[in-house]
Amino acid sequence: MIYSDIEALLEQTCKEGLIKERDIIYVRNQVIQLLKMTTYPTHKILTSSGSIPELLDRIIDYAVKENIIDDILDEKEMLAASLMNCFMPRPSTVQTLFDWYYEQSPEQATEFFYKLSRNSNYIQTNRLDKNISHKVQTEYGEMDITINLSKPEKDPEQIKREQMAKQDESYPFCVLCKENEGYAGRIGYPARSNHRVIEMVLGDEKWFFHYSPYTYYEEHSIISSNKHRDMKINTDTFRRLLEFIDKFPHYFIGSNADLPIVGGSITSHDHYQAGAYTFAMTDAKDRYTFPIHAHPDVRAAVLHWPMTVIRLLADEQEKLLEAANSILTFWRDYNDEDASILSYTDKTPHNTITPIARMRDGSYEMDLVLRNNRTSATHPLGIFHPHEDIHHIKKENIGLIEVMGLAILPPRLETELEGVTKYLAGKSDEVHPAHEEWARQLRQTHGLLHNEEYAAEVVQKELGKKFVRGLEDAGVFKDDAAFQRFITKLNQKAVSSKN
């Protein structure tokens, strides 16, 4: 069976364009060497059926059964990546092909690279299919709700190996560093043998473009700095975002904030996220427009969105850049005690921005999401962070992806929400302790729902409401009066600076 799976993998990768027929003997020999085979049938072998990920999984199962590797996550991941690397072109070849496609059109270039990343199993589509996803209609548009099940759970042996492994390795520095390209991996660090990146220039610096192995949305891509340095939101950030959408006008690009609590999961390496997906925030309507006196050629609007968002639109890149920078500079030092906003505690900064850029009908558009990471005795995880009454659903940071309207919820909710559904349907009186109060509230609101399918729909809708509540908690201005004070002072400062 193993020979049938290997031959099927060769056939499938040839069909998908990863290799050519001329490569088959060479690649087969690379594969059997990794599987420690000393012989191979010379007669024609009937190929088995299955997708590339399915065939790869079966080959890994064989390696475990034959004691080629131990049955722990990291060893299986490393062998899988090394096997697929046999089918991958060298980085220089990938770059040359990407550049050639880019000359035809940016869309063709990203289509080529995205397909390569999927077919090489770097984007692990079989795991992504495990995610539980649905859409929920809200007053702010159609939100995406995802329970993230794509990242495999670690078994006790894996955890033990990680604890035993040395903790002082500094190569690569982190999972976003350029040195990950082709890195075999180690216990406690992901395998990247089949990883390829595209080199590009943004703001006179070298940057690297690649896709996320656990894509949360269509063509979820990462653009990471050539240098291992902390994330920073500044004029250079805005310039790079605008340059990127010049190069790839069919993509949006955004950055997580650069402060703890309001930042993403990785703030130690400067990077952005991009893609082809249309989030609910993309289609958000204006609540009202307002003038920025210092930048009359830039259209500014406050969005109808649960968080605090200013949308800027301009025909000229430089004018939009100047307007965005003036708002960031002003917001960094902005205080409004009535709105619980303090820009500093001693020398510790609290105000920053989550920016998102895109092309809109040939013009440059940038959303500036105002963020503040202050904490208090009442809200020790953050004043502008999901509050305690929704921690049973979402306790983690609100990062870039969630800012735009896509919830990434923890895997524990898969079974916990099944319990809430059964409780609403009258099939069980037990729910997870964290959800007891919420479940009672739902039953009071909706009554006893004897149809379990309908109860599941109710839980999905109520889950969406909880997510929106978390975004509202993260909004820094809770009413238009606070927003108007900010706009007024922004324009007053521009006038005083001019005088």
Side-chain angles (χ1 to χ4, degrees), residues 56-57 60 64 69-84 121-122 124 126-127 150-152 158 183-186 189-194 213-214:
L56 187 59
D57 284 345
I60 297 302
V64 170
I69 58 171
D70 290 333
D71 188 12
I72 66 168
L73 175 64
D74 280 353
E75 289 204 15
K76 292 189 285 188
E77 296 278 271
M78 285 188 282
L79 179 58
S82 293
L83 285 168
M84 290 311 301
N121 203 51
Y122 181 73
Q124 303 198 23
N126 58 335
R127 290 183 181 166
S150 60
K151 198 168 185 179
Q158 167 73 22
Y183 184 68
R186 60 178 184 264
Y189 193 94
R192 292 289 185 261
S193 297
N194 56 339
Y214 297 105

Side-chain angles (χ1 to χ4, degrees), residues 182-238:
Y183 184 68
R186 60 178 184 264
I187 300 299
Y189 193 94
R192 292 289 185 261
S193 297
N194 56 339
H195 180 42
R196 300 292 184 270
V197 302
I198 300 299
E199 185 179 302
M200 64 177 59
V201 174
L202 295 174
D204 298 324
E205 287 186 342
K206 189 183 293 184
W207 287 70
F208 296 98
F209 170 84
H210 61 93
Y211 289 100
S212 168
Y214 297 105
T215 53
Y216 290 119
Y217 54 84
E218 194 68 21
E219 300 183 48
H220 180 185
S221 44
I222 310 292
I223 300 90
S224 53
S225 172
N226 178 52
K227 300 175 182 177
H228 181 77
R229 65 186 182 203
D230 290 346
M231 292 189 66
K232 190 67 179 174
I233 304 298
N234 55 27
T235 307
D236 291 335
T237 306
F238 297 148

Side-chain angles (χ1 to χ4, degrees), residues 248-280:
F248 302 96
H250 60 300
Y251 271 17
F252 79 88
I253 183 170
S255 174
N256 271 304
D258 55 354
L259 294 179
I261 297 176
V262 296
S265 56
I266 301 176
T267 57
S268 59
H269 193 115
D270 207 1
H271 73 284
Y272 313 125
Q273 297 182 72
Y277 193 64
T278 301
F279 294 86

Side-chain angles (χ1 to χ4, degrees), residues 261-263 307 371 386 394 396-400 402-403 470-471 474:
I261 297 176
V262 296
M307 296 183 71
R371 313 296 300 272
K394 175 70 176 175
E396 298 78 12
N397 292 2
I398 298 295
L400 171 67
E402 293 183 306
V403 163
L471 296 184

Side-chain angles (χ1 to χ4, degrees), residues 287-306:
R287 201 155 80 230
Y288 53 85
T289 60
F290 66 93
I292 307 178
H293 296 330
H295 307 281
D297 295 323
V298 177
R299 182 185 185 275
V302 172
L303 287 193
H304 180 62
W305 192 247

Side-chain angles (χ1 to χ4, degrees), residues 405-467:
L406 193 160
I408 304 169
L409 302 178
R412 62 179 172 80
L413 290 177
E414 179 186 19
T415 54
E416 292 176 10
L417 294 181
E418 286 177 2
V420 175
T421 298
K422 291 183 183 298
Y423 175 79
L424 279 182
K427 301 292 178 66
S428 172
D429 290 328
E430 295 184 6
V431 295
H432 190 281
H435 304 297
E436 284 178 351
E437 183 179 351
W438 183 50
R440 284 195 296 270
Q441 291 172 352
L442 294 182
R443 185 177 278 188
Q444 288 174 359
T445 302
H446 299 280
L448 188 61
L449 307 173
H450 296 287
N451 184 312
E452 194 167 340
E453 185 176 340
Y454 178 58
E457 291 178 8
V458 168
V459 171
Q460 286 185 353
K461 291 178 182 176
E462 295 292 339
L463 190 63
K465 291 179 182 178
K466 284 281 186 177
F467 173 56

